[in-house]
Amino acid sequence: MNLLILILVPLITAIAVFLMRNKEQVKWTAFAGASIQLILSLFLFKAFNDARAAGNTAQMLFEQQTALFKSWNISLHLGVDGISVAMILLTSFVVVAGVLMSWKVEKMTKEFYFLLILLSMGAYGFFISLDLFVLFFFLEIAVIPKYLLIGIWGSGKKEYSANKLALMLMGGSALVLVGMFGLYFGGGKSFDIIQLSNIHIPVATQKICFPLLFAGFGVFTALFPFHTWTPDGHSSAPTAGSMFLAGISMKLGGYGCLRVATYLMPEGAVEYSNIVIVLSAIAVLYGSFATMMQKDFKYINAYSSVSHCGFVLLGIGMLTKVAITGAVMQMVSHGVMTALFFAVIGIIYERTHTRQIDEMGGLLKVMPFTATILFVIGLCSLGLPGLSGFVAEMTIFMGSWERTDMFHRAITIAATMSIVVTAVYILRAIGQVAMGPIKAEYLHLTDATWNEKLATMILLIGILAIGLAPFWLNNLVSPGAEIIMQKIQLAK
Amino acid sequence: MNEFITLMKPELLLMAMIFILLISKLGVGFNQSNLMKLIQGMLLINFIAGFFMNGEGQLFDNMYHTSSLIVLEKNILNLGMVLISFLFTDWFKKCDHLAEVFVLMLTALLGMFYMISSGNLLMFYLGLEMATIPVAAAATFNLEKKVSSEAAMKMILSSAFSSGIMLFGISLIYGAMGTLDFSEIPALLNGDSLQVMAFIFLFTAFAFKMSVVPFHLWTADVYEGSPIGITAFLSVISKGAIAFVFVSTLYKVFQPFHEIWYNMIMVLSVMTMLVGNLFALRQQNIKRFLAFSSIAQVGFILIGVSSNSIQGATSVIYFVLVYIFSNLAAFGVAGLVSFFTGKENIDDYKNFYKTNPLLSWIFALALFSLSGIPPTAGFFGKLFLLTSGASNGNYAFLIIAALNMMISLFYYLKVVRAMFMDKNENPILPIQINFATKIALFVCGGGIVLAGFFGFVFDYIQALVK
């Protein structure tokens, strides 16, 4: 399968959206493009598994390389392993759902969909590129669409949030950029990830560049203390914007931390792993306690995203195969879960016009479908077995438990405690929204429309597929984690 | 004779155009619009002719030399000139002294060509003066505005001052080495303190012309006061030409001093980026805003210069090419708005998108390109500058530069926010864009979006630099 098509389809869709004449055409074009992309990703998943089953054990499959800037040794080098395939699957699910959830956008519809598709193109490109320069290009390409999506179509203090998000992400990519240069000049003047992984990068360089790259990507994935853009950004964004931000965009950071920082600089990763673990444990605990204080539904999910993404970094920092596998699974699981959560919040907000949970109540009576989904998603978030959250977090804990010394044990136990806190805030929020007496003005509310139902069902399929049969994801991801671990073993 | 024509073709063509324009004033009786078409046509022909029948070699006892790289640099400047004549058609047409304005601008361009081609410090000085004084005269051409004459006055005084410094430096060089020939100087450089002092004087004059901090104080006032077409010329063409010469002089003539100038450039670059960015944060007038942003851009160019490598030189030339597209697009839109409505404040652009979507997109693209956001060409230009600067392994310098990109994004986004997000009861009315201007805007926009993906352009320039 030619991977270039994964970038071309969104690009063509974006251009087509721009050429359309009326809103209906725009919406259907975007939907068609996103659906084609979903089918392509499923096809990629199948082709990948077939190739592996046929005994192809190459590290990266479907590789291709075209020189872009010969003088810098930059090329469009594409290829996927299991980890990337998992991330691409996640992206395509969230994009289709996001497009469906934006069906009612009236203001500048064309521009909205154009930016949305452009954002998804950035994510696809990021996950399939094996050249740091191209990877960075796709990382940055997504910043401006996010800024405009929040600033134009957002709500609340949207201009402040949009600015904060754009500047913090730009600051993060500035750190990534400098770290990249360190790799380039430390590793024989090449940006190619595969080549760099075969060269031993000088330990002195790793000690400078690992923190730069990890913190830089960490900004994207809400590494404490760079998480402050997350709550504001997520809560001000339009529904699809929040879904993309939390579901896809934060995962760019996690993937970067794993694939670029940890994989290319194993000595650096070992050296700094304790700091990473402490910071991510703080994010996990701080995020969940901060969530308890929130009254705004979107802020609740935004802070809980900080907490859940802390698990991703915790898994990476633990440096065991199981924990890293769990981190990737948590990225996929949290991506689908949080996108669905934001979708449900969007559905409710559109009808009640408030996001304050104490102003709602009894919505189960008038919106049974939406409220049911809300229950499922809440239970997934607090880690109920059978749903995706449990599988991913359990894997991370099991991986962390393999580190037997006092420090790692203590951190693992502390992080596990956050599950209790999660249960408290999730159950309280859901209870307040869905149960209890219903206010008179909410009695006429209608349930989800067809597009909203379709969007939530697509994401729900993802959650159940991971929760009920986790092995396909585990088998997909763990060979990739194994390769990363081999390098770390050598470094230890 | 034949060699003379091929080697000096760019200059001869410019001279021919200048004479045609002068004759047109002698009662041939063109009306404004025909004269404008004539000028645009001639510039276009000049640009296209720049690609054919070029030679390499030297003339007048190594006073003047040319190579494929120099021809390319001249073509880049020609391209900028064509775009300027198309972008500001409306203003030029209204200007009472159209022929004179172009005679002055073309004379300045001629001076820059001589400067780029010079093989001797004397020739270089002549070219530099010729490139400065006509622009100062052209800066007064908003005749009814007082600030315009003020701008011209400031420019002529400050450039006279910097020329004085440069002449002093040149005389010291002659005193220390007994020659002004570029090919003979490098062998004679031995680090003697007189030589170093002479070099620093020369360097300062360059910094003046490029408006490097702390020699930048004239820039914002001159940019604000001049008519916008001339401002664009100053900030794009003049700056580009000086950047070309700066690189070739430092890399070829003063190569033995590279340890001295590496430190100087590093300090100046950090100061230029910081001051340019911090001052740009607070500007309300769009021309002053672009002036400070272009000061900050010079700071980035200096990063590329500091690398002292082939890739550094290539990145600078590539960046100037990209910069022509992005900055001219920004000036083009600002010029249209200022010409039709007289509004020049950022607040006036509120809700601009509703009434002028095309102009807003082009302005936004230009600003993204200036701040270095993909997929615009500015991203590639800036990244290459930074990568070549990184070859020295100076990470602190790089982090400062990369964080400066973040600061600059903040103020560029201010304009984007005004155009796309802020509400406004009476936004600027829809602007009727002239056909020629539209073409130029599309060329700029296309350049911004596509130039980055044509990797062979960079490779081509690098092959020439070698």
Side-chain angles (χ1 to χ4, degrees):
Chain A
M1 180 172 175
N2 192 336
L3 290 175
L4 203 58
I5 199 168
L6 286 177
I7 310 174
L8 286 179
V9 169
L11 185 65
I12 293 168
T13 316
I15 294 170
V17 161
F18 217 79
L19 296 177
M20 288 299 147
R21 299 235 168 251
N22 62 42
K23 288 180 180 173
E24 285 302 310
Q25 285 178 349
V26 166
K27 284 190 273 195
W28 285 104
T29 316
F31 180 58
S35 313
I36 292 172
Q37 192 78 344
L38 177 64
I39 293 164
L40 279 174
S41 340
L42 290 171
F43 181 73
L44 172 72
F45 174 57
K46 187 178 173 299
F48 183 86
N49 278 343
D50 288 351
R52 282 280 188 249
N56 188 341
T57 53
Q59 185 190 353
M60 295 289 167
L61 293 189
F62 313 119
E63 265 189 85
Q64 58 168 306
Q65 199 160 9
T66 328
L68 279 183
F69 293 92
K70 288 204 189 76
S71 18
W72 295 109
N73 237 338
I74 293 169
S75 58
L76 185 69
H77 188 179
L78 305 176
V80 287
D81 67 352
I83 298 177
S84 342
V85 173
M87 303 313 289
I88 289 167
L89 275 176
L90 161 71
T91 311
S92 57
F93 271 79
V94 176
V95 171
V96 175
V99 166
L100 281 170
M101 282 305 298
S102 317
W103 219 247
K104 286 215 183 92
V105 171
E106 288 294 327
K107 185 178 163 194
M108 300 199 254
T109 318
K110 185 190 282 185
E111 287 82 353
F112 182 86
Y113 279 100
F114 175 74
L115 294 172
L116 214 57
I117 301 289
L118 202 65
L119 184 49
S120 77
M121 186 183 87
Y124 287 117
F126 183 85
F127 291 131
I128 60 176
S129 48
L130 291 178
D131 185 282
L132 284 179
F133 187 91
V134 181
L135 186 115
F136 184 72
F137 173 84
F138 283 115
L139 180 72
E140 284 241 305
I141 211 174
V143 172
I144 290 301
K146 286 176 209 162
Y147 172 79
L148 291 174
L149 280 173
I150 296 177
I152 300 178
W153 292 274
S155 55
K157 41 176 187 174
K158 55 184 182 178
E159 274 136 28
Y160 166 77
S161 312
N163 247 334
K164 190 171 179 180
L165 171 132
L167 292 178
M168 286 194 71
L169 294 191
M170 196 65 188
S173 32
L175 299 180
V176 170
L177 184 64
V178 180
M180 246 170 62
F181 290 146
L183 284 176
Y184 181 75
F185 289 103
K189 300 217 172 179
S190 167
F191 279 122
D192 196 302
I193 292 181
I194 302 301
Q195 265 182 42
L196 284 172
S197 71
N198 293 328
I199 300 168
H200 185 259
I201 292 158
V203 177
T205 313
Q206 294 197 18
K207 280 188 180 162
I208 301 172
C209 290
F210 181 83
L212 288 173
L213 277 170
F214 202 92
F217 283 118
V219 174
F220 283 78
T221 190
L223 170 71
F224 184 85
F226 306 117
H227 64 282
T228 51
W229 65 270
T230 328
D232 290 323
H234 286 180
S235 55
S236 303
T239 302
S242 313
M243 291 166 68
F244 275 40
L245 269 179
I248 305 172
S249 174
M250 285 174 86
K251 308 303 172 284
L252 301 185
Y255 181 84
C257 284
L258 186 62
R259 170 81 77 215
V260 181
T262 309
Y263 178 48
L264 295 183
M265 291 181 289
E267 272 100 352
V270 172
E271 171 92 19
Y272 289 99
S273 85
N274 285 354
I275 298 177
V276 170
I277 289 172
V278 169
L279 286 180
S280 46
I282 293 176
V284 167
L285 288 170
Y286 164 80
S288 54
F289 278 109
T291 318
M292 284 181 70
M293 306 303 296
Q294 303 303 320
K295 299 268 187 299
D296 183 312
F297 215 167
K298 270 196 158 176
Y299 269 100
I300 290 180
N301 196 26
Y303 272 107
S304 85
S305 287
V306 175
S307 167
H308 283 122
C309 281
F311 280 120
V312 174
L313 295 176
L314 186 73
I316 295 173
M318 286 293 174
L319 300 179
T320 65
K321 185 189 158 193
V322 180
I324 288 177
T325 312
V328 178
M329 288 169 81
Q330 170 78 347
M331 279 198 263
V332 180
S333 146
H334 175 252
V336 186
M337 180 182 87
T338 199
L340 182 51
F341 213 140
F342 275 122
V344 172
I345 294 174
I347 296 173
I348 295 175
Y349 174 66
E350 199 169 274
R351 287 160 178 76
T352 60
H353 302 288
T354 178
R355 294 194 317 231
Q356 300 298 321
I357 51 169
D358 43 8
E359 289 175 18
M360 298 185 229
L363 294 182
L364 185 59
K365 294 192 185 76
V366 284
M367 302 165 66
F369 179 84
T370 316
T372 313
I373 300 280
L374 184 63
F375 277 117
V376 175
I377 200 70
L379 296 175
C380 176
S381 179
L382 60 80
L384 193 79
L387 297 167
S388 67
F390 169 77
V391 174
E393 282 169 21
M394 197 60 201
T395 318
I396 293 177
F397 292 141
M398 273 156 54
S400 311
W401 205 250
E402 289 174 12
R403 302 293 294 265
T404 47
D405 57 298
M406 196 58 202
F407 170 74
H408 288 93
R409 277 281 149 87
I411 294 275
T412 311
I413 292 169
T416 326
M417 301 301 270
S418 82
I419 292 184
V420 183
V421 186
T422 312
V424 173
Y425 65 73
I426 285 288
L427 292 177
R428 202 190 50 170
I430 296 178
Q432 219 149 21
V433 171
M435 302 203 277
I438 186 164
K439 283 191 181 173
E441 69 255 40
Y442 294 151
L443 278 171
H444 66 280
L445 295 186
T446 50
D447 208 344
T449 51
W450 69 269
N451 56 305
E452 291 161 344
K453 279 184 181 160
L454 187 56
T456 46
M457 289 318 281
I458 288 172
L459 292 172
L460 200 61
I461 289 172
I463 289 178
L464 292 174
I466 302 170
L468 296 175
F471 295 106
W472 64 269
L473 185 60
N474 196 0
N475 293 342
L476 187 65
V477 171
S478 57
E482 175 72 43
I483 290 172
I484 295 172
M485 269 320 289
Q486 281 168 3
K487 283 205 72 176
I488 292 169
Q489 291 299 347
L490 284 177
K492 276 179 183 168
Chain B
M1 190 62 200
N2 210 354
E3 194 194 20
F4 174 74
I5 291 176
T6 42
L7 291 186
M8 290 197 72
K9 188 194 64 184
E11 286 81 5
L12 292 174
L13 280 172
L14 277 187
M15 253 183 269
M17 282 191 316
I18 292 170
F19 280 119
I20 291 173
L21 284 178
L22 284 176
I23 291 166
S24 81
K25 286 299 280 188
L26 294 176
V28 181
F30 282 118
N31 65 23
Q32 288 289 82
S33 132
N34 283 343
L35 186 59
M36 194 63 222
K37 276 181 194 138
L38 174 73
I39 293 171
Q40 286 168 344
M42 286 196 305
L43 284 170
L44 205 58
I45 292 169
N46 175 41
F47 171 60
I48 294 166
F51 288 99
F52 303 104
M53 290 173 46
N54 294 306
E56 297 205 12
Q58 54 94 12
L59 287 171
F60 313 127
D61 202 12
N62 204 20
M63 277 278 188
Y64 176 99
H65 67 98
T66 187
S67 66
S68 308
L69 179 67
I70 287 175
V71 170
L72 175 78
E73 291 176 346
K74 287 175 181 169
N75 281 341
I76 291 177
L77 297 182
N78 273 334
L79 170 69
M81 198 62 217
V82 174
L83 286 175
I84 285 181
S85 78
F86 275 73
L87 276 175
F88 303 102
T89 311
D90 289 313
W91 183 81
F92 284 130
K93 268 188 193 164
K94 211 196 76 182
C95 181
D96 292 334
H97 305 274
L98 174 60
E100 283 91 334
V101 173
F102 269 94
V103 166
L104 289 171
M105 281 206 281
L106 290 176
T107 316
L109 191 64
L110 184 63
M112 290 167 202
F113 282 9
Y114 280 127
M115 185 170 77
I116 294 174
S117 275
S118 59
N120 186 302
L121 273 173
L122 265 185
M123 184 73 183
F124 169 74
Y125 176 71
L126 280 177
L128 186 78
E129 283 299 277
M130 201 170 159
T132 316
I133 294 171
V135 189
T140 62
F141 267 80
N142 257 354
L143 294 172
E144 67 277 17
K145 277 193 189 164
K146 218 169 146 188
V147 281
S148 187
S149 343
E150 186 193 326
M153 203 64 206
K154 273 187 179 148
M155 188 170 171
I156 202 93
L157 284 178
S158 60
S159 62
F161 184 57
S162 74
S163 299
I165 294 175
M166 174 170 273
L167 271 182
F168 191 41
I170 291 177
S171 59
L172 286 181
I173 285 180
Y174 191 72
M177 281 172 272
T179 177
L180 291 176
D181 198 305
F182 281 167
S183 53
E184 292 170 16
I185 290 177
L188 296 168
L189 289 174
N190 54 15
D192 183 54
S193 56
L194 182 65
Q195 288 178 357
V196 174
M197 193 158 92
F199 169 69
I200 288 175
F201 275 120
L202 205 61
F203 188 93
T204 311
F206 269 118
F208 241 114
K209 302 283 179 198
M210 276 173 79
S211 56
V212 170
V213 175
F215 312 108
H216 67 291
L217 294 165
W218 60 277
T219 319
D221 291 342
V222 172
Y223 279 23
E224 188 187 1
S226 314
I228 204 153
I230 309 296
T231 311
F233 182 84
L234 266 174
S235 92
V236 176
I237 312 279
S238 295
K239 218 163 247 183
I242 297 276
F244 292 150
V245 184
F246 192 50
V247 173
S248 63
T249 319
L250 285 187
Y251 281 24
K252 293 207 178 101
V253 186
F254 291 101
Q255 182 60 33
F257 277 180
H258 82 259
E259 277 171 18
I260 299 175
W261 57 254
Y262 173 69
N263 289 325
M264 283 162 71
I265 286 183
M266 198 175 69
V267 174
L268 288 178
S269 160
V270 169
M271 280 188 351
T272 310
M273 284 187 289
L274 272 177
V275 172
N277 277 333
L278 293 180
F279 276 75
L281 283 177
R282 300 195 54 81
Q283 300 306 320
Q284 264 304 315
N285 181 296
I286 197 95
K287 274 153 94 184
R288 282 186 86 83
F289 168 83
L290 287 172
F292 280 107
S293 99
S294 78
I295 291 177
Q297 303 285 341
V298 171
F300 281 98
I301 293 183
L302 289 182
I303 301 175
V305 179
S306 79
S307 85
N308 190 27
S309 61
I310 290 167
Q311 278 160 336
T314 318
S315 310
V316 171
I317 295 168
Y318 182 78
F319 186 79
V320 170
L321 176 65
V322 170
Y323 182 68
I324 283 183
F325 287 128
S326 1
N327 221 18
L328 280 184
F331 271 114
V333 177
L336 278 176
V337 172
S338 147
F339 178 78
F340 281 104
T341 64
K343 291 178 177 171
E344 287 189 350
N345 275 340
I346 294 178
D347 283 342
D348 298 329
Y349 284 80
K350 282 185 177 168
N351 219 351
F352 191 53
Y353 182 68
K354 201 173 177 191
T355 46
N356 295 290
L358 175 71
L359 289 179
S360 304
W361 276 121
I362 291 191
F363 205 9
L365 264 181
L367 294 175
F368 291 150
S369 180
L370 287 174
S371 57
I373 299 266
T376 58
F379 168 80
F380 296 92
K382 267 205 177 141
L383 229 60
F384 294 152
L385 285 178
L386 286 176
T387 317
S388 48
S391 58
N392 291 310
N394 194 338
Y395 291 108
F397 182 29
L398 282 177
I399 289 181
I400 293 175
L403 290 178
N404 262 295
M405 279 172 79
M406 186 177 99
I407 303 178
S408 75
L409 182 68
F410 179 77
Y411 59 77
Y412 289 124
L413 283 182
K414 224 167 72 171
V415 183
V416 175
R417 189 172 71 192
M419 290 194 299
F420 285 86
M421 297 174 196
D422 287 346
K423 291 187 181 65
N424 188 356
E425 292 300 304
N426 344 297
I428 293 168
L429 294 175
I431 290 172
Q432 280 295 327
I433 313 171
N434 189 302
F435 181 66
T437 313
K438 217 176 221 170
I439 292 179
L441 283 175
F442 275 119
V443 170
C444 289
I448 291 172
V449 175
L450 297 176
F453 296 100
F454 294 141
F456 59 85
V457 176
F458 192 90
D459 296 332
Y460 173 70
I461 300 176
Q462 177 151 337
L464 292 185
V465 173
K466 275 174 184 163

